[in-house]
Amino acid sequence: SDVDERKQAEAALRHSEERYRLLVDNASEGILISQQGILRFINPRIAELAGREASELAGQPLLRFVHPDDHPTLFERYRRRQRGEAVPQHEVFRLLRPDGETVWIEYSGVDVVWEGRPAVLSFLIDITERKRTEDELRRSEENYRHVIENSPVGITIVHGNRVMLANKALCRMLECGEEELLRMGSFLDLVHEDDAATMRAHAVRLVDAPEGGKAVVGFRIRTPSGKTVWVEGNTVQVQWQGKRATLSFIHD
């Protein structure tokens, strides 16, 4: 009876281990266990992310495979964890492959006990493509910002008569700072009183027009100093932060 129970317990344990091994070995996330920064366990995905054989990684310091520029961040995280301080739930760093290629990693970890000693169970996700997309978006935004800020033509985006964006040329034309324009209750406050009704009707027609509707209109602006400036606005309906707005190019 004792032998049968032991065999049943061993079979149940083996079945449980097989299930966990199946999950860990086939996980899309990299899974590792480290003790004092030394890799004690890695799943196949970790080796794939690092571009190395598992035998090259086992028993080695994790920092050996991390981009040198990211060492201070991870070392400080380790020191804070050792002191019992709270650390961010997620961290981002770069793995450095043998061919010099870098892989951006989002990391999260939790304290565990491994073979009777304190350890950290970590989960690693490849975010290289996400970082590349973010970098491309940032560069694109910088390029557009450069064009807008250096354009000799006044450029503005208006939503619900409120100024959402104004470039330097427009600010010079209106004799207002950008922050002043953004705080303004309505762009129509700058329009000459004799043109205000016409511009108000024009704005309503354009916002209600089918998406992509365009219009060109001439009107007068009254600057804070009292100067009157004749301008021509070339306006098109656009989506701005998920809402209907108008993009205008304003010529003196």
Side-chain angles (χ1 to χ4, degrees), residues 35-46:
Q35 289 174 324
Q36 295 184 323
I38 304 299
L39 297 174
R40 298 303 183 191
F41 172 86
I42 60 170
N43 73 337
R45 180 59 173 155
I46 291 291

Side-chain angles (χ1 to χ4, degrees), residues 102-119:
T102 57
V103 179
W104 280 96
I105 297 295
E106 185 176 83
Y107 156 94
S108 60
V110 60
D111 293 327
V112 297
V113 174
W114 178 258
E115 296 180 345
R117 295 173 52 208

Side-chain angles (χ1 to χ4, degrees), residues 78-96:
Y78 171 76
R79 288 177 55 181
R80 290 178 61 184
R81 187 185 289 276
Q82 290 293 101
R83 295 196 295 263
E85 299 176 8
V87 296
Q89 185 175 3
H90 297 281
E91 199 70 73
V92 173
F93 66 91
R94 287 161 290 180
L95 284 177
L96 190 58

